[in-house]
Each structure stands twice: as C-alpha cells, then as structure tokens.
Amino acid sequence: MTDNLQHAARLALSLLDLTSLSDDDSDRSIESLCRRTRTPVGYPAAVCVYPAFVTTAQRTLKALDLANKVKVATVTNFPDGGDDIMAAAREAREAAAAGADEVDVVFPYRALLDGDEETGRELVACCHQGCGDATLKVILETGELKDPALIRRAAELAIEGGAAFIETSTGKNAVDSSLATIELLLDVIKASQRDVGLKIAGGIRTTEDALAYLQLAERVMGRAWITPQHLRFGASDLLDDLQANAGMGSA
C-alpha cells in the first residue's frame, strides 16, 4: 500500500493544477505559489490564477526555468457562470491574449437548470473560438446541478461546444466532487469518442483522495489515458500532502 500511495502521489503531483483564487491574492502571493511548483519530486501540470495575475505567473515560472513545463491557467465567467455569451467569449479571448495557456470557463449552469440547453452549447463554442490556441476547460459546477441527468447533459453540451476538458467545480460551493459524479463524467467522455480530458476540483485534500480517483479513471479509461493532457486535479491544499507521500522510501 505504501508503494502504491507513493506512486499515486508522484502521478497526482504531475496532474495537479496548483490553484489560488482568493480575494486577497496579490503579485507577491502568486509569485510564492509559483515557487512552490519546484519540488524534489517533480512539478505540477499548471498553476491556476485569476486573469489579473497571468502575467505575474508567466514571469515567475520563466525565472524558475519552468515556463515550458508548468502551464498557466486562469478562470473566466467565474464563479457565477453567467449566460452572457459575448461577455464570456470576450473574457476568454482577453485571457488567452494575456498569455494564459489554459482558460477555465464556467458553464452557464443556471440557464440549463431553467431548461435552456442552447445557451450553454453556444457559450462554450464562442469561448472555444475566442481562446485560439489556449486549452479550453469548462467548469460544469456539478454541485449546483445536482441531478445526474443534468450533469450528464451539461458535460455533453460542453463537449459539443468544443471543450478540451470538462471540470467539476469552481471550488466556491459547498458540494465537493464525488466518485459517482466522476464516474458519470468519465462515461460521458468515453461515449463521446472525442479527445476530451477531465479536471476534478473541489474537496481533494489528501493523496488517498487522489488515489481513489486515479483508480477509477484507470478502470474506466485505461492507464494510458492518465496523463496531464487528459486528467487534472484542481486544488490549493493538496501539494504538501502529495510531496510528503511522494518522498516516502526515497533516498
């Protein structure tokens, strides 16, 4: 079990979107966040910051010689998931133009709750176009949708709109991700037959949490699918635990 946990920790660290989306973020705190990406056991897939700090993150990662190794992700239409398609597309375009490698846009989940499917599909499609070469990750806010049928439909609409990743949560609501929800989303991705990834965010705090999701993803999608191009963990508090477990038994 110890060896299994160590392997899971090292793998999960490579899949981590190390996140800071706090009201009191500053250039200094984001610089500190980026410095945490240099660990003795590897580095995360990305840092995720507010749009105002994309340049700071890019500059700091470059100084650490990690610019081509750690991506910079940002959030748009966040956290409310508004239904103004043009505003969301403009935000996505501006984020990509500012240098974000990845743009995590919140799906207009309230519109879907009201029975409106087209707004979600169109918003994602317009953001996809606005992002250009940046990777589009679509946050479904599964804790607000609640109903598995609605979660499935939101995922399908996001994929139809061109999402490169679907994502569970903004991390701003009280409902964490669950294995049942993740299995549902993996099934949607598999059924789509498209090259789409999954970002699991909300409530992932320990290596044991990550291990359970890794085992589920391997069972549904196969071991080869589990790479930073397909699976991410969005978390702010996970890195220290992963580092501690990744170093177990090392010289």
Side-chain angles (χ1 to χ4, degrees):
M1 180 63 178
T2 298
D3 289 344
N4 199 26
L5 203 62
Q6 182 182 28
H7 172 74
R10 294 191 176 199
L11 178 55
L13 195 151
S14 75
L15 307 174
L16 181 64
D17 282 10
L18 183 62
T19 300
S20 186
L21 297 170
S22 301
D23 292 340
D24 59 353
D25 283 342
S26 64
D27 285 329
R28 179 173 292 184
S29 68
I30 298 305
E31 288 166 359
S32 177
L33 180 83
C34 291
R35 285 194 293 271
R36 294 181 64 208
T37 63
R38 185 182 286 282
T39 84
V41 287
Y43 44 81
V47 294
C48 186
V49 300
Y50 278 124
F53 300 108
V54 166
T55 299
T56 299
Q58 290 284 21
R59 184 181 64 241
T60 306
L61 290 171
K62 184 176 181 180
L64 293 167
D65 196 28
L66 290 172
N68 295 319
K69 299 173 182 176
V70 180
K71 305 291 187 184
V72 174
T74 194
V75 291
T76 60
N77 207 33
F78 186 94
D80 294 332
D83 60 4
D84 187 330
I85 294 169
M86 290 301 101
R90 184 172 60 253
E91 276 191 66
R93 184 171 61 250
E94 290 172 352
D101 301 301
E102 302 175 353
V103 178
D104 295 27
V105 60
V106 182
F107 186 85
Y109 60 89
R110 290 187 186 86
L112 183 59
L113 284 167
D114 289 338
D116 176 2
E117 294 191 352
E118 190 53 39
T119 293
R121 184 191 292 107
E122 187 176 349
L123 186 145
V124 173
C126 288
C127 288
H128 179 237
Q129 184 175 11
C131 279
D133 293 333
T135 298
L136 178 65
K137 294 144 79 182
V138 178
I139 304 170
L140 305 177
E141 202 65 305
T142 57
E144 296 293 336
L145 290 171
K146 296 183 177 67
D147 181 355
L150 281 175
I151 293 170
R152 178 180 296 277
R153 192 60 187 136
E156 291 169 345
L157 291 167
I159 291 170
E160 290 170 17
F165 277 76
I166 52 175
E167 182 174 346
T168 53
S169 173
T170 60
K172 299 294 186 180
N173 68 56
V175 181
D176 293 333
S177 301
S178 70
L179 287 168
T181 296
I182 299 310
E183 184 166 14
L184 184 158
L185 294 176
L186 288 169
D187 286 342
V188 172
I189 290 171
K190 191 170 186 178
S192 76
Q193 298 185 321
R194 297 193 189 187
D195 189 21
V196 176
L198 175 64
K199 179 172 172 179
I200 306 167
I204 309 164
R205 298 180 179 88
T206 68
T207 303
E208 288 83 359
D209 292 337
L211 175 59
Y213 289 120
L214 288 168
Q215 290 171 333
L216 175 58
E218 181 176 340
R219 178 169 62 80
V220 177
M221 303 300 292
R223 181 173 296 185
W225 186 83
I226 302 176
T227 68
Q229 289 70 47
H230 291 118
L231 185 63
R232 300 286 183 86
F233 294 111
S236 56
D237 301 324
L238 184 60
L239 180 61
D240 289 343
D241 193 70
L242 292 178
Q243 266 192 261
N245 284 291
M248 292 186 309
S250 60

